Amino acid sequence: MNYLEVKDLRVTYRAGEGEIPAVRGAGFGLAPGSKLGVAGESGCGKSTVALALLRLLPRSARVQGEILLDGEDVLTMRWGRLRAVRWAGASIVFQGAMHSLNAVRRVGDQIAEPILLHENATPGEVSRRVGRLLEQVGLPRWRAKAYPHELSGGQRQRVMIAMALACEPRLLIADEPTTALDVMIQAQILRLIDRLVGEHGISMMMISHDLSVLAETCDRLAVMYAGRVVEEGPADSVFADARHPYTAALSSAFPKIGDPESRRNPHGLPGDPPDPADPPSGCAFRPRCPVAEERCSTVDPVLWPVEPAAVGNGAAGRAAACVRMLPEMRSAGVAAEPAEPNVAAPEESR
Amino acid sequence: MTAPAHSEAPAGHGAGSGEQREGIVRGLRYIGAKLLTAAVSLFAVMVTSFFLFRILPGDPVRSMTQGREVTVEQEQELRRQFGLDQPLWQQFLDYCAGLFRFDLGVSYQYRIPVAELIGERIGPTVLLAGTGTLIAALLGLVLGTRAGWRRGSATDRVNTGVALLLWSVPSFWLGLLLIVVLASGAGWVPGLFPTGGMMTPGTTGLLDVALDVAHHLVLPVATMVAVVYAQYLMIMRSSLLDEMGADYLTTARAKGLRDALVLRRHAVPNALLPTVTLIFLNLGQVVGGVILVETVFAWPGLGSLFYSGLTVPDLPLVQALFVLFASAVILMNLLADLVYPLLDPRVRT
């Protein structure tokens, strides 16, 4: 059974008179010990998903669907149970540790806080554990006395990671853990997270706009667009052989190392993501899609299992939300039933 | 930050003692700079207070001899006694020299040393204004926190509304109203509190005196608190609202902390910082800032002394009080500068 199972998650923000659907039916699963990457542009709803997992969204957000953490639905949990699950069951490495750490408290105290809260530990034990955690993330023990502003951006993110591991959670949610860092430090932090997650056997969900980073770190990838997962599958094959035109655009937006052609000619994606308050008809990606067809304006595709079209390995368990991937499109005339992709397509591929 | 990790992480390791010494030097330099600023301000106040009251219309000798038959010679004699026959620069030098010897001169109207007058009156003022400010600050901070944390709730609207209403009430009017309702015993309401003064004459025994003074203190303090606590409430509320969307609060919630702990451990310590400065500034005004309340309740403090000195003008008295009031503000500012780094680690470096 998956440790995390998200089914048809919908998050709607109330803003003034109107409602803004930020997440419109996203679903994915995460097997114990595996790593899932969630990719997408700013505003596609990926951080909203991360916050929704522990019910951390503001009161103005309405959350529907199911978030099963170890079989328990987070959305219907009682407050006491939810507080117990927070950090001990799943912890978060937030982006930009400058603002995610409390500026007026020592980092050691901030790391110790969840341990004291969730476990019966003596102060001596706790401070020993804080020291060990700091060493694990490559900081000397005496740094526990530092305040966040006394540390560099990379060091702060290390503190954040130590804090996230404090209660030995089974799931780590890394929400753009390297966004505010420069490239050298980014690589270090990613390697650190990767190593620690592996050592502790923790499942991880990493959120980033950088598909290549996710492809390198994670086992599986989920690509989000306009509040939905539009493609899902094993990381390598999704990155190398995208089935959804949006994924293709994302992966070609980063020049490939060792491929001079892509370096000289990086492909951007023109246009902006749709206004969530006023999405286009049919497929949300249609206005920017280079291969849009006429039916794209009427059909709103959902995730649909993709068969290994091109013969190859690693294509198993893939799904994409694109009309070109619908079965009757691939094998024209063979499909017995005219597909009703809007309702008939299953939410989950696995 | 651009350094690779192996040099980034242990950077400054083993430099603990050196870093500490450097920190102490920095701290001393900080304190020195603040002390210097305070000294400069104090000097400016001394100069200002001398000239300010000399610009005021009114002749002290005239107003003191008003309604009495005095000869020109007698007036001359008074002027000579007060030193007012000297040229202005000579008067200024005498005044400065006196201040450095802590000789504040003799009051024109009371004919006793100004220092003695102030010594008598400063206690009651500090008692009244100090108690009032502390209660107002505590009340304002607590209510402001509750209002800000539940923005837009009934608690918020009621608290903010009441505080603003009271803030806009003139303190003398509220004081008089309280006297009428609670002190003078109108109609069926008994006079619960004394109408004025600080003590019932003839009270003896330490406990009895303390109780009696406390009894006299209730209405003036209530008046003062009611009128000023809104400042603290509004500042605390808005400063908490600024923190509300902060990421570190999301982190605190994600850790599984109860809402009350998120507020107490994380939001309040950050939101408190801007309010600390305000509290110290107001404490500085404690010495001179409650003239109206003192007058309404016939409280024997510095405020009413200043008022009586101004009408003459009793130059030595008002000069000394002006310097005193200003020094209190300067001193409290200095204290705020020294205390703030203890609360906010970011200022320390």
Side-chain angles (χ1 to χ4, degrees):
Chain A
M1 191 181 74
N2 283 340
Y3 182 63
L4 173 69
E5 190 76 56
V6 175
K7 291 179 187 163
D8 194 26
L9 180 67
R10 290 167 192 276
V11 181
T12 313
Y13 289 107
R14 280 186 298 274
E17 313 234 316
E19 294 202 325
I20 298 171
V23 179
R24 308 179 300 142
F28 50 83
L30 183 54
S34 76
K35 291 174 277 185
L36 171 74
V38 176
E41 291 167 293
S42 332
C44 72
K46 55 195 195 300
S47 286
T48 299
V49 168
L51 290 176
L53 293 185
L54 287 179
R55 264 165 70 183
L56 291 169
L57 290 167
R59 258 173 272 233
S60 62
R62 196 178 61 231
V63 185
Q64 291 163 302
E66 259 182 81
I67 298 171
L68 298 176
L69 194 67
D70 209 9
E72 259 183 292
D73 191 349
V74 174
L75 295 182
T76 56
M77 260 178 204
R78 296 173 52 183
W79 274 104
R81 178 69 193 138
L82 178 67
R83 280 200 302 272
V85 164
R86 283 177 176 177
W87 222 254
S91 64
I92 310 184
V93 173
F94 288 100
Q95 55 175 301
M98 178 78 246
H99 302 294
S100 299
L101 294 171
N102 189 337
V104 301
R105 300 189 62 208
R106 295 178 193 279
V107 295
D109 295 342
Q110 299 190 51
I111 297 173
E113 189 173 34
I115 306 178
L116 287 164
L117 186 73
H118 291 285
E119 293 164 38
N120 288 320
T122 63
E125 235 173 85
V126 171
S127 78
R128 270 196 301 282
R129 258 172 73 182
V130 169
R132 268 205 307 278
L133 284 162
L134 283 173
E135 278 173 0
Q136 271 187 3
V137 297
L139 288 172
R141 281 166 182 260
W142 59 270
R143 276 306 200 181
K145 288 218 189 80
Y147 287 97
H149 74 278
E150 294 167 333
L151 303 173
S152 70
Q155 289 172 328
R156 280 197 292 267
Q157 203 60 12
R158 285 166 194 269
V159 167
M160 193 76 218
I161 294 165
M163 198 158 86
L165 296 175
C167 294
E168 286 152 23
R170 287 182 60 195
L171 170 65
L172 183 82
I173 302 161
D175 184 5
E176 308 222 26
T178 59
T179 298
L181 306 174
D182 63 58
V183 182
M184 294 282 286
I185 311 294
Q186 276 188 13
Q188 289 169 18
I189 296 293
L190 283 173
R191 272 200 302 276
L192 179 72
I193 294 178
D194 200 32
R195 179 171 60 80
L196 289 174
V197 164
E199 280 173 9
H200 293 254
I202 303 173
S203 320
M204 176 170 71
M205 178 175 140
M206 186 184 277
I207 293 166
S208 174
H209 57 272
D210 189 333
L211 199 62
S212 60
V213 160
L214 292 179
E216 209 175 295
T217 323
C218 299
D219 310 317
R220 293 187 71 85
L221 277 184
V223 178
M224 283 188 71
Y225 188 80
R228 276 193 195 162
V229 177
V230 293
E231 178 154 12
E232 209 261 327
D236 322 340
S237 60
V238 169
F239 185 58
D241 176 24
R243 296 298 165 78
H244 194 284
Y246 176 63
T247 314
L250 261 193
S251 56
S252 65
F254 297 94
K256 291 180 186 66
I257 293 167
D259 179 5
E261 183 57 38
S262 78
R263 273 186 72 84
R264 248 175 273 127
N265 189 18
H267 296 274
L269 180 63
D272 294 308
D275 177 5
D278 180 27
S281 66
C283 172
F285 186 57
R286 175 178 51 86
R288 302 167 77 188
C289 184
V291 291
E293 299 163 10
E294 206 164 306
R295 55 183 299 184
C296 292
S297 60
T298 50
V299 179
D300 186 9
V302 288
L303 270 187
W304 182 261
V306 177
E307 284 172 16
V311 183
N313 46 12
R318 292 193 57 175
C322 179
V323 283
R324 290 159 61 249
M325 292 299 135
L326 291 173
E328 86 278 16
M329 285 293 293
R330 291 199 303 268
S331 46
V334 177
E337 306 273 316
E340 278 284 320
N342 225 345
V343 281
E347 194 65 38
E348 280 291 312
S349 58
R350 280 169 296 141
Chain B
M1 231 191 70
T2 43
H6 42 268
S7 74
E8 177 207 355
H13 185 50
S17 65
E19 215 169 64
Q20 218 165 17
R21 202 175 316 126
E22 206 179 296
I24 291 171
V25 170
R26 240 196 332 249
L28 286 177
R29 195 173 300 157
Y30 175 81
I31 294 172
K34 295 294 173 196
L35 281 173
L36 191 70
T37 316
V40 171
S41 316
L42 200 58
F43 181 72
V45 163
M46 280 166 52
V47 176
T48 314
S49 89
F50 178 82
F51 291 103
L52 183 68
F53 295 109
R54 264 149 242 264
I55 301 170
L56 280 182
D59 179 349
V61 174
R62 281 273 157 72
S63 61
M64 286 172 66
T65 55
Q66 207 170 28
R68 266 185 281 164
E69 295 263 340
V70 277
T71 60
V72 179
E73 287 72 34
Q74 279 173 314
E75 258 187 39
Q76 287 298 336
E77 174 58 20
L78 271 175
R79 271 183 220 287
R80 202 188 52 77
Q81 272 181 20
F82 295 158
L84 291 172
D85 54 342
Q86 305 282 327
L88 203 58
W89 61 269
Q90 184 65 46
Q91 289 183 38
F92 181 63
L93 286 184
D94 288 346
Y95 158 81
C96 287
L99 275 183
F100 281 111
R101 281 180 275 121
F102 291 104
D103 173 12
L104 303 174
V106 176
S107 157
Y108 294 169
Q109 46 175 345
Y110 297 96
R111 304 296 172 98
I112 53 170
V114 168
E116 216 170 279
L117 264 177
I118 291 179
E120 257 170 41
R121 301 288 200 104
I122 196 167
T125 288
V126 169
L127 182 67
L128 169 61
T131 315
T133 306
L134 284 180
I135 295 178
L138 280 177
L139 189 72
L141 294 185
V142 169
L143 294 181
T145 303
R146 291 174 59 176
W149 197 241
R150 294 270 173 269
R151 179 192 201 168
S153 67
T155 321
D156 178 24
R157 276 187 305 234
V158 169
N159 269 319
T160 313
V162 170
L164 287 179
L165 185 74
L166 287 172
W167 196 3
S168 51
V169 167
S171 59
F172 63 86
W173 181 82
L174 184 65
L176 288 172
L177 195 74
L178 286 179
I179 290 178
V180 168
V181 174
L182 293 172
S184 52
W188 50 271
V189 189
L192 292 173
F193 295 99
T195 51
M198 196 173 90
M199 211 191 290
T200 316
T203 315
T204 49
L206 199 62
L207 185 67
D208 285 344
V209 169
L211 284 176
D212 188 49
V213 170
H215 195 210
H216 281 79
L217 205 53
V218 172
L219 289 188
V221 164
T223 308
M224 195 187 146
V225 168
V227 175
V228 302
Y229 85 97
Q231 295 180 48
Y232 300 100
L233 184 146
M234 294 313 286
I235 293 228
M236 188 62 192
R237 179 177 178 274
S238 74
S239 146
L240 195 64
L241 287 180
D242 283 345
E243 300 293 329
M244 286 294 268
D247 292 339
Y248 67 86
L249 293 182
T250 308
T251 310
R253 281 194 197 95
K255 282 175 173 176
L257 290 175
R258 274 182 295 122
D259 200 50
L261 279 180
V262 174
L263 174 65
R264 199 163 68 219
R265 278 197 204 160
H266 293 276
V268 167
N270 279 280
L272 213 48
L273 298 175
T275 55
V276 168
T277 319
L278 177 82
I279 292 174
F280 274 101
L281 278 183
N282 282 6
L283 276 177
Q285 291 165 8
V286 155
V287 190
V290 283
I291 297 180
L292 285 176
V293 176
E294 284 190 2
T295 309
V296 169
F297 288 96
W299 192 261
L302 292 177
S304 40
L305 185 65
F306 190 60
Y307 180 72
S308 75
L310 263 183
T311 47
V312 175
D314 190 344
L315 292 173
L317 181 62
V318 289
Q319 279 167 12
L321 283 174
F322 185 82
V323 171
L324 180 73
F325 294 162
S327 330
V329 174
I330 293 172
L331 183 74
M332 285 301 162
N333 254 327
L334 182 68
L335 271 181
D337 281 339
L338 297 182
V339 166
Y340 198 86
L342 300 181
L343 298 174
D344 189 350
R346 282 165 297 188
V347 186
R348 262 174 254 169
T349 40

